[in-house]
Amino acid sequence: MDFDLNIALYSEADACFRKGRYREALRLFKRAARADPLDSDCWFAIGSCLDALNRPTRAEAAYLKALSMAREEDHPALYFNIGNALFDQQRFEAAVSWYARVPAEHEVFARAERNRRLAESKAKRTS
């Protein structure tokens, strides 16, 4: 593991992401993840890049990988993002279950609740 390389690549990737250069950011985040395969933040960011590039199935996989190694305090945001990836795949019932995991005291709770209600509505229309 090369922690210095991981940090440098992550910083560069983050700057690209913030500028909307998602493909470049994705490439750099993947290199950062190779430098430290246990960096859950890299996998979270990879998922966000894939989401921005409209690749929800791959984003879901990256978020689940991040969740498997993330700190507990990062879980609620990952639950929300996994729900979003499922929603984008039109897997509304599955999305509802992930949104419901976000605790009320978390900063993304209001958005998760809004998306949960929307997913429930769409699930009813498609069943």
Side-chain angles (χ1 to χ4, degrees), residues 14-15 18 29 37 46 53 62 64 72-73 75 84 105-106 112 114 121 123:
D14 189 53
R18 291 177 192 277
F29 281 128
I46 288 167
L53 293 167
L64 289 170
E72 180 114 2
E73 60 266 19
H75 289 190
N84 289 340
E105 62 276 1
H106 196 272
R114 182 190 66 228
S121 173

PDB file of all heavy atoms in Angstrom, residues 14-15 18 29 37 46 53 62 64 72-73 75 84 105-106 112 114 121 123:
ATOM      1  N   ASP A  14     -10.513  14.478  -6.457  1.00  0.00           N
ATOM      2  CA  ASP A  14     -11.557  15.281  -5.825  1.00  0.00           C
ATOM      3  C   ASP A  14     -11.682  16.639  -6.517  1.00  0.00           C
ATOM      4  O   ASP A  14     -12.802  17.116  -6.753  1.00  0.00           O
ATOM      5  CB  ASP A  14     -11.255  15.447  -4.336  1.00  0.00           C
ATOM      6  CG  ASP A  14     -12.387  16.085  -3.584  1.00  0.00           C
ATOM      7  OD1 ASP A  14     -13.535  15.583  -3.680  1.00  0.00           O
ATOM      8  OD2 ASP A  14     -12.144  17.093  -2.892  1.00  0.00           O
ATOM      9  N   ALA A  15     -10.557  17.238  -6.861  1.00  0.00           N
ATOM     10  CA  ALA A  15     -10.585  18.526  -7.569  1.00  0.00           C
ATOM     11  C   ALA A  15     -11.259  18.373  -8.931  1.00  0.00           C
ATOM     12  O   ALA A  15     -12.062  19.227  -9.336  1.00  0.00           O
ATOM     13  CB  ALA A  15      -9.169  19.074  -7.724  1.00  0.00           C
ATOM     14  N   ARG A  18     -15.070  17.998  -8.423  1.00  0.00           N
ATOM     15  CA  ARG A  18     -15.708  19.276  -8.086  1.00  0.00           C
ATOM     16  C   ARG A  18     -15.860  20.180  -9.309  1.00  0.00           C
ATOM     17  O   ARG A  18     -16.728  21.051  -9.334  1.00  0.00           O
ATOM     18  CB  ARG A  18     -14.934  19.985  -6.986  1.00  0.00           C
ATOM     19  CG  ARG A  18     -15.046  19.278  -5.652  1.00  0.00           C
ATOM     20  CD  ARG A  18     -14.202  19.957  -4.575  1.00  0.00           C
ATOM     21  NE  ARG A  18     -14.096  19.150  -3.397  1.00  0.00           N
ATOM     22  CZ  ARG A  18     -15.018  19.099  -2.433  1.00  0.00           C
ATOM     23  NH1 ARG A  18     -16.117  19.806  -2.534  1.00  0.00           N
ATOM     24  NH2 ARG A  18     -14.846  18.330  -1.383  1.00  0.00           N
ATOM     25  N   PHE A  29      -9.565   8.292  -9.046  1.00  0.00           N
ATOM     26  CA  PHE A  29     -10.038   7.600  -7.841  1.00  0.00           C
ATOM     27  C   PHE A  29      -9.719   6.108  -7.919  1.00  0.00           C
ATOM     28  O   PHE A  29      -9.358   5.487  -6.908  1.00  0.00           O
ATOM     29  CB  PHE A  29     -11.542   7.809  -7.628  1.00  0.00           C
ATOM     30  CG  PHE A  29     -11.919   9.127  -7.023  1.00  0.00           C
ATOM     31  CD1 PHE A  29     -12.877   9.932  -7.631  1.00  0.00           C
ATOM     32  CD2 PHE A  29     -11.341   9.570  -5.837  1.00  0.00           C
ATOM     33  CE1 PHE A  29     -13.243  11.150  -7.074  1.00  0.00           C
ATOM     34  CE2 PHE A  29     -11.702  10.788  -5.268  1.00  0.00           C
ATOM     35  CZ  PHE A  29     -12.661  11.579  -5.893  1.00  0.00           C
ATOM     36  N   PRO A  37      -6.257  -0.304  -1.398  1.00  0.00           N
ATOM     37  CA  PRO A  37      -7.527  -0.992  -1.685  1.00  0.00           C
ATOM     38  C   PRO A  37      -8.540  -0.976  -0.536  1.00  0.00           C
ATOM     39  O   PRO A  37      -9.708  -1.263  -0.749  1.00  0.00           O
ATOM     40  CB  PRO A  37      -7.097  -2.429  -1.990  1.00  0.00           C
ATOM     41  CG  PRO A  37      -5.645  -2.361  -2.277  1.00  0.00           C
ATOM     42  CD  PRO A  37      -5.111  -1.179  -1.534  1.00  0.00           C
ATOM     43  N   ILE A  46     -15.701   6.658  -6.099  1.00  0.00           N
ATOM     44  CA  ILE A  46     -15.864   5.946  -7.369  1.00  0.00           C
ATOM     45  C   ILE A  46     -17.356   5.789  -7.663  1.00  0.00           C
ATOM     46  O   ILE A  46     -17.814   6.023  -8.787  1.00  0.00           O
ATOM     47  CB  ILE A  46     -15.133   4.589  -7.340  1.00  0.00           C
ATOM     48  CG1 ILE A  46     -13.611   4.811  -7.387  1.00  0.00           C
ATOM     49  CG2 ILE A  46     -15.609   3.677  -8.471  1.00  0.00           C
ATOM     50  CD1 ILE A  46     -12.785   3.577  -7.063  1.00  0.00           C
ATOM     51  N   LEU A  53     -21.921   9.780 -14.002  1.00  0.00           N
ATOM     52  CA  LEU A  53     -21.796   9.336 -15.394  1.00  0.00           C
ATOM     53  C   LEU A  53     -22.974   8.467 -15.839  1.00  0.00           C
ATOM     54  O   LEU A  53     -22.926   7.838 -16.887  1.00  0.00           O
ATOM     55  CB  LEU A  53     -20.477   8.574 -15.579  1.00  0.00           C
ATOM     56  CG  LEU A  53     -19.212   9.432 -15.438  1.00  0.00           C
ATOM     57  CD1 LEU A  53     -17.976   8.556 -15.325  1.00  0.00           C
ATOM     58  CD2 LEU A  53     -19.104  10.403 -16.612  1.00  0.00           C
ATOM     59  N   ALA A  62     -19.971  -0.127  -6.381  1.00  0.00           N
ATOM     60  CA  ALA A  62     -18.909   0.625  -5.707  1.00  0.00           C
ATOM     61  C   ALA A  62     -19.353   1.065  -4.309  1.00  0.00           C
ATOM     62  O   ALA A  62     -18.585   0.973  -3.344  1.00  0.00           O
ATOM     63  CB  ALA A  62     -18.500   1.837  -6.544  1.00  0.00           C
ATOM     64  N   LEU A  64     -21.586  -0.414  -2.411  1.00  0.00           N
ATOM     65  CA  LEU A  64     -21.630  -1.600  -1.546  1.00  0.00           C
ATOM     66  C   LEU A  64     -20.235  -2.014  -1.106  1.00  0.00           C
ATOM     67  O   LEU A  64     -20.040  -2.428   0.046  1.00  0.00           O
ATOM     68  CB  LEU A  64     -22.342  -2.751  -2.259  1.00  0.00           C
ATOM     69  CG  LEU A  64     -23.848  -2.581  -2.425  1.00  0.00           C
ATOM     70  CD1 LEU A  64     -24.414  -3.643  -3.360  1.00  0.00           C
ATOM     71  CD2 LEU A  64     -24.545  -2.617  -1.072  1.00  0.00           C
ATOM     72  N   GLU A  72     -18.648   3.227  10.597  1.00  0.00           N
ATOM     73  CA  GLU A  72     -20.091   3.245  10.870  1.00  0.00           C
ATOM     74  C   GLU A  72     -20.708   4.627  10.607  1.00  0.00           C
ATOM     75  O   GLU A  72     -21.825   4.726  10.101  1.00  0.00           O
ATOM     76  CB  GLU A  72     -20.354   2.821  12.319  1.00  0.00           C
ATOM     77  CG  GLU A  72     -21.809   2.817  12.666  1.00  0.00           C
ATOM     78  CD  GLU A  72     -22.333   1.439  12.960  1.00  0.00           C
ATOM     79  OE1 GLU A  72     -21.574   0.475  12.939  1.00  0.00           O
ATOM     80  OE2 GLU A  72     -23.531   1.354  13.216  1.00  0.00           O
ATOM     81  N   GLU A  73     -20.008   5.704  10.928  1.00  0.00           N
ATOM     82  CA  GLU A  73     -20.567   7.042  10.731  1.00  0.00           C
ATOM     83  C   GLU A  73     -20.750   7.399   9.254  1.00  0.00           C
ATOM     84  O   GLU A  73     -21.497   8.311   8.916  1.00  0.00           O
ATOM     85  CB  GLU A  73     -19.736   8.126  11.436  1.00  0.00           C
ATOM     86  CG  GLU A  73     -18.300   8.236  10.984  1.00  0.00           C
ATOM     87  CD  GLU A  73     -17.311   7.431  11.824  1.00  0.00           C
ATOM     88  OE1 GLU A  73     -17.722   6.505  12.546  1.00  0.00           O
ATOM     89  OE2 GLU A  73     -16.117   7.740  11.747  1.00  0.00           O
ATOM     90  N   HIS A  75     -21.973   5.167   7.100  1.00  0.00           N
ATOM     91  CA  HIS A  75     -23.027   4.291   6.593  1.00  0.00           C
ATOM     92  C   HIS A  75     -24.280   5.035   6.139  1.00  0.00           C
ATOM     93  O   HIS A  75     -24.792   4.736   5.055  1.00  0.00           O
ATOM     94  CB  HIS A  75     -23.376   3.213   7.611  1.00  0.00           C
ATOM     95  CG  HIS A  75     -22.307   2.182   7.754  1.00  0.00           C
ATOM     96  ND1 HIS A  75     -22.505   1.022   8.466  1.00  0.00           N
ATOM     97  CD2 HIS A  75     -21.030   2.116   7.311  1.00  0.00           C
ATOM     98  CE1 HIS A  75     -21.402   0.289   8.445  1.00  0.00           C
ATOM     99  NE2 HIS A  75     -20.495   0.943   7.748  1.00  0.00           N
ATOM    100  N   ASN A  84     -30.244   5.761  -4.029  1.00  0.00           N
ATOM    101  CA  ASN A  84     -30.311   6.539  -5.272  1.00  0.00           C
ATOM    102  C   ASN A  84     -29.909   5.696  -6.483  1.00  0.00           C
ATOM    103  O   ASN A  84     -30.537   5.790  -7.542  1.00  0.00           O
ATOM    104  CB  ASN A  84     -29.420   7.774  -5.184  1.00  0.00           C
ATOM    105  CG  ASN A  84     -29.966   8.818  -4.238  1.00  0.00           C
ATOM    106  OD1 ASN A  84     -31.150   8.823  -3.911  1.00  0.00           O
ATOM    107  ND2 ASN A  84     -29.106   9.710  -3.798  1.00  0.00           N
ATOM    108  N   GLU A 105     -31.503  11.536  12.638  1.00  0.00           N
ATOM    109  CA  GLU A 105     -30.583  12.601  13.050  1.00  0.00           C
ATOM    110  C   GLU A 105     -29.477  12.879  12.019  1.00  0.00           C
ATOM    111  O   GLU A 105     -28.704  13.817  12.185  1.00  0.00           O
ATOM    112  CB  GLU A 105     -29.956  12.286  14.418  1.00  0.00           C
ATOM    113  CG  GLU A 105     -29.117  11.035  14.463  1.00  0.00           C
ATOM    114  CD  GLU A 105     -29.907   9.747  14.679  1.00  0.00           C
ATOM    115  OE1 GLU A 105     -31.143   9.780  14.782  1.00  0.00           O
ATOM    116  OE2 GLU A 105     -29.256   8.691  14.733  1.00  0.00           O
ATOM    117  N   HIS A 106     -29.429  12.112  10.956  1.00  0.00           N
ATOM    118  CA  HIS A 106     -28.367  12.308   9.964  1.00  0.00           C
ATOM    119  C   HIS A 106     -28.721  13.441   9.006  1.00  0.00           C
ATOM    120  O   HIS A 106     -29.891  13.652   8.686  1.00  0.00           O
ATOM    121  CB  HIS A 106     -28.107  11.018   9.181  1.00  0.00           C
ATOM    122  CG  HIS A 106     -26.812  11.050   8.448  1.00  0.00           C
ATOM    123  ND1 HIS A 106     -26.706  11.550   7.179  1.00  0.00           N
ATOM    124  CD2 HIS A 106     -25.563  10.675   8.816  1.00  0.00           C
ATOM    125  CE1 HIS A 106     -25.440  11.470   6.785  1.00  0.00           C
ATOM    126  NE2 HIS A 106     -24.737  10.949   7.768  1.00  0.00           N
ATOM    127  N   ALA A 112     -33.393  11.684   2.084  1.00  0.00           N
ATOM    128  CA  ALA A 112     -33.696  10.254   2.011  1.00  0.00           C
ATOM    129  C   ALA A 112     -35.198  10.021   2.157  1.00  0.00           C
ATOM    130  O   ALA A 112     -35.781   9.187   1.442  1.00  0.00           O
ATOM    131  CB  ALA A 112     -32.919   9.486   3.076  1.00  0.00           C
ATOM    132  N   ARG A 114     -37.623  12.161   1.404  1.00  0.00           N
ATOM    133  CA  ARG A 114     -38.268  12.628   0.171  1.00  0.00           C
ATOM    134  C   ARG A 114     -38.139  11.561  -0.922  1.00  0.00           C
ATOM    135  O   ARG A 114     -39.107  11.209  -1.583  1.00  0.00           O
ATOM    136  CB  ARG A 114     -37.634  13.945  -0.280  1.00  0.00           C
ATOM    137  CG  ARG A 114     -38.280  14.526  -1.543  1.00  0.00           C
ATOM    138  CD  ARG A 114     -37.503  15.685  -2.128  1.00  0.00           C
ATOM    139  NE  ARG A 114     -36.222  15.182  -2.605  1.00  0.00           N
ATOM    140  CZ  ARG A 114     -35.040  15.733  -2.342  1.00  0.00           C
ATOM    141  NH1 ARG A 114     -34.958  16.813  -1.607  1.00  0.00           N
ATOM    142  NH2 ARG A 114     -33.928  15.210  -2.815  1.00  0.00           N
ATOM    143  N   SER A 121     -44.059   5.697  -4.160  1.00  0.00           N
ATOM    144  CA  SER A 121     -45.079   6.063  -5.132  1.00  0.00           C
ATOM    145  C   SER A 121     -44.831   5.390  -6.479  1.00  0.00           C
ATOM    146  O   SER A 121     -45.755   4.848  -7.089  1.00  0.00           O
ATOM    147  CB  SER A 121     -45.092   7.595  -5.295  1.00  0.00           C
ATOM    148  OG  SER A 121     -45.941   7.978  -6.329  1.00  0.00           O
ATOM    149  N   ALA A 123     -43.078   2.664  -6.991  1.00  0.00           N
ATOM    150  CA  ALA A 123     -43.225   1.219  -6.828  1.00  0.00           C
ATOM    151  C   ALA A 123     -44.690   0.821  -6.935  1.00  0.00           C
ATOM    152  O   ALA A 123     -45.027  -0.200  -7.551  1.00  0.00           O
ATOM    153  CB  ALA A 123     -42.633   0.773  -5.486  1.00  0.00           C
TER     154      ALA A 123
END
